[in-house]
Amino acid sequence: MSKIGFIGLGIMGRPMAGHLMAAGHELVTYVKGGSLNNELAEKGMVALDSPKAVAEQAEIIITMVPDTPDVEEVLLGEQGVIEGLKPGTLVIDMSSIAPIPTQAIAKRITDAGGEFLDAPVSGGEGGAINAALTIMVGGPEASFQRALPVLEVMGKTITLIGDHGAGQICKVANQIVVALTIQATAEGLLFASKAGADVSKVREALLGGLAQSKILDVHGERMINRTFDPGFRIRLHQKDLNLALESARTLDLSLPGTANAQQLFQGCAANGGADWDHAGLVRALEELANHEIGS
């Protein structure tokens, strides 16, 4: 079993860390401006006073924080992981951040004597709770094989995509597909509802055909039942789509569907919905239609 530093104990990180402790790993953490979750503390997790202190004790370090600047602060900032990094320490960033900064972070960590993997995840809170995450990895094969027993505790589908940054590229692609599928699900169910059909029966029928998807199953039900507690917050999906659109500009690539989904998320955020589950995108469409699904 390994001594693991796990930094980032939010909606996703808490259950992920819990699975690692249940598997017998010893965990330490750093909680910025807060206190350690009681449940994790009772299971044996220990909070230290800085990311540097975490690095001084851990042989593997996992970060699961919201955005690129957060990863840079934890890993490379004052009292950051890099200041306490021991030779051969494996750093696994499971956050969803920009690919190019990821490559720069990887170089800093490896130049300091560590190993680095970018390993963003998909599956939301349910996937984290059920240890069923999809994990998309970028980095060297040897580091991937070293990390695999740890990643398998948290996920089911674990794929080495390519070198540093490739995991984040895959995650951006994932978020494009997820956003557009949420939008398609919302539009289909909204059409059916306003046209007068029983939207629950429509969803049931669609799940048996080519339109079937996990999003239609899980988020379609959320839309019908009006359950928009996160999940995965709209503001975080907005961040991911910003990464997609910024990268598309550098690639001279047009992503019109992604841009439209981002505008619908922005409509939700403008109406107080930045912390709704991303299935709440349907509310922006309902506002345009002057009709709520199921009404």
Side-chain angles (χ1 to χ4, degrees):
M1 295 294 105
S2 301
K3 189 163 188 178
I4 297 174
F6 197 111
I7 301 174
L9 300 171
I11 287 176
M12 303 283 287
R14 281 195 301 272
M16 292 164 68
H19 293 312
L20 290 170
M21 285 190 288
H25 297 288
E26 181 182 354
L27 264 65
V28 295
T29 189
Y30 164 71
V31 182
K32 181 181 179 181
S35 57
L36 180 58
N37 176 272
N38 287 337
E39 182 182 352
L40 293 176
E42 289 170 2
K43 291 179 178 178
M45 180 178 271
V46 175
L48 305 176
D49 61 5
S50 68
K52 175 185 176 182
V54 170
E56 288 170 341
Q57 292 199 20
E59 56 196 281
I60 297 175
I61 297 167
I62 296 172
T63 50
M64 186 64 175
V65 296
D67 205 348
T68 306
D70 303 297
V71 176
E72 291 173 333
E73 179 183 359
V74 167
L75 295 183
L76 308 179
E78 185 178 354
Q79 292 290 300
V81 163
I82 199 166
E83 294 186 6
L85 196 70
K86 302 189 299 291
T89 299
L90 174 59
V91 178
I92 309 171
D93 178 33
M94 303 189 77
S95 319
S96 295
I97 68 170
I100 293 175
T102 289
Q103 293 169 343
I105 292 168
K107 187 175 189 306
R108 289 282 302 277
I109 294 296
T110 55
D111 285 351
E115 298 180 42
F116 185 87
L117 295 172
D118 49 290
V121 305
S122 180
E125 183 183 15
I129 290 171
N130 295 314
L133 293 168
T134 294
I135 305 175
M136 300 154 266
V137 187
E141 173 73 31
S143 299
F144 174 71
Q145 292 301 329
R146 180 182 172 191
L148 195 56
V150 171
L151 299 178
E152 287 174 336
V153 173
M154 300 177 283
K156 283 189 176 178
T157 303
I158 305 163
T159 307
L160 179 62
I161 306 298
D163 208 346
H164 291 135
Q168 297 295 353
I169 291 169
C170 184
K171 178 58 187 289
V172 170
N174 178 84
Q175 296 304 80
I176 293 170
V177 172
V178 169
L180 269 63
T181 309
I182 290 174
Q183 180 179 332
T185 297
E187 291 189 10
L189 295 181
L190 182 60
F191 165 78
S193 177
K194 190 154 189 179
D198 182 331
V199 71
S200 295
K201 293 292 186 183
V202 169
R203 172 179 163 275
E204 182 182 333
L206 294 180
L207 284 170
L210 191 58
Q212 188 276 337
S213 71
K214 187 171 184 178
I215 286 170
L216 176 61
D217 184 12
V218 175
H219 291 322
E221 185 174 42
R222 281 179 177 268
M223 293 172 192
I224 294 168
N225 293 338
R226 321 307 294 169
T227 52
F228 297 120
D229 294 337
F232 186 74
R233 301 178 194 274
I234 280 175
R235 62 179 170 84
L236 294 178
H237 209 146
Q238 284 185 283
K239 178 261 297 183
D240 293 339
L241 294 192
N242 281 336
L243 296 178
L245 294 169
E246 289 164 6
S247 298
R249 279 191 290 273
T250 66
L251 295 168
D252 291 327
L253 177 65
S254 176
L255 298 175
T258 303
N260 191 56
Q262 181 71 304
Q263 287 300 303
L264 292 170
F265 280 139
Q266 184 57 38
C268 293
N271 285 279
D275 285 320
W276 296 340
D277 184 84
H278 53 174
L281 176 147
V282 70
R283 289 183 167 182
L285 292 167
E286 290 171 336
E287 184 70 19
L288 292 171
N290 192 28
H291 177 85
E292 185 177 293
I293 284 177
S295 64

